[in-house]
Amino acid sequence: MDFKQIFAEQLAGAIDHVLEVEEVNKVIEKPRKQNLGDFAFPCFVLAKHWKKAPNIIANELAAKLEHSLFEKVEAVGPYVNMFLHKEAVSKLILSEVLQQRDQYGSNTTGQQAAVTIDLSSPNIAKAFSMGHLRSTVIGNAIANIAEKNGYRPVRINHLGDWGTQFGKLIVAYRKWGNEEAVRQNPISELMKLYLRFHEEAVHDASLEEAGREAFKQLENGDKDNFALWEWFREESLHEFARIYDLLGVQFDSFAGEAFYTDKMDAVVEMLEEKRLLVESDGAKVVLLEKEELPPCLIQKSDGATLYATRDLATAIYRKNEYDFAKSLYVVGSEQSLHFTQLKLVLQKAGFRWAEDMEHVTFGMMLRNGKKMSTRKGHVVLLEEVLTNAIELTQKIIEEKNPSLIEKEKVSHDVGIGAVIFHDLKHFRTNDVEFSMEAMLNFDGETGPYLQYTHARCHSLLRKGEYSPNTEAIELGEEEAWPILSLLKDFDQVVKLAWREYDPSKVARYALDLARSLNQYYAHVHILSDKKNKQARLHLIYATATVLKESLRILGLQAPIEM
């Protein structure tokens, strides 16, 4: 139930709809201190219309407002503060969670419209580093948030699987490659060949030309080159699949750059027909002078196409294929100019749906305050980090709870969850400092802390021999209100996380809920008080349910024992 909406409707009626319900809802605030109520309406917005001081308006409105769910309404200076009736509201909240369970907090805003989400997108034949983690887990969480808001997410892994680098790799493999070595360790061997190519090219200029020629042959459909390229791609995907399995991330499409090679000529022709292309030093560009941006390069002087051409073809294909309501690109902030240009070119070409495209930016993954780099070996491999996190978690479990059943599964879920949550608890545009120690802390703002809190809830439920049912029981005690207040806000957090494409809203909410639960646990005897035991266990079950769903949205598992 949307209690804020109920308050807004009551207010709109009391002010004779000078402001409509939606306008009132937008200005209602949540007081910072609990003793100031659950919602507050600032009366400044009415002062000019009624030509009265805001505090006088607040007093007049407070006297008019009443509802069975309002314990009291009072004027505090220029604000109308509303306090919810704890017993009645607790009954409603617990009843909703018990009935809806993992559907609690969901809404139908999206009406099952498609949302394409471009995420992860590693380059084939290159190592999957920690730098790729951000796009992968942020994009996956946003897809889950979209689904929670009633949309149909389409997860697309736009692989970097085309370009001159593959001509170089083909040349390197033919000169120094070993088939068995590549099959045994694909990414590592292909990376070695690629690096050797560049080392040798310093002393042998003909190699660069050979690489360009090999790629040109590949573009022209040479069977032998295509067979090698396809093999490199397949081996890379097998390697990537293992990492995606560890992360629990799945995709609806692996259509990468190569998929669009036969779709770019049509884009160039379309731009020419619309008279958007102009020549510049032999190249073809779309001018963006009015927007005070550099021109968007569409075709080089030698006829070769570029990223922009490919992404224009990609956008058009996705609209035709999925008829998206939104098309999101979860790509680092360094690509902001590219996506701004892309959107503007589509708009100039008359595609009104380009308004529905959004670049969802994120900051860098840092190590010791510096950007991680794949050059000269300065790279932290994601698979090594994930494996290490699992192993370290297993050691902690062996020390703290050696008799735990399913130790391996719990170690996997907690270790992987630690890495994912460490990223998602930060607002996505902020840089993230890589720290294994910080990730695996069971007491701080971490994934293991949330998972441990969820397991603690289930331990209480087992000890209390709790059986979930839909019987609604009032729980008006003051100590429970911080938890109940957070439970009632879950649907609003889900909506806000979608509006801002911000998984950290869910992560921060989950931390607040876990902290409130642990404070309640420390001060209230949940199992020994027979009179309130069942109502309190309802609260514990509801908290566990919403914690689990919050973790699921973020891409984490929720063990019931740790």
Side-chain angles (χ1 to χ4, degrees), residues 110-116 150-154 322-327:
Q111 298 293 306
Q112 288 304 299
V115 175
T116 58
Y151 291 91
R152 179 170 55 85
V154 181
Y322 303 108
D323 190 25
F324 56 72
K326 288 280 183 186
S327 182

Side-chain angles (χ1 to χ4, degrees), residues 95-123:
S95 177
E96 282 191 6
V97 181
L98 288 166
Q99 289 173 22
Q100 297 172 23
R101 303 198 182 180
D102 62 353
Q103 290 303 304
Y104 183 71
S106 301
N107 66 77
T108 58
T109 303
Q111 298 293 306
Q112 288 304 299
V115 175
T116 58
I117 304 174
D118 189 317
L119 68 150
S120 198
S121 308
N123 293 319

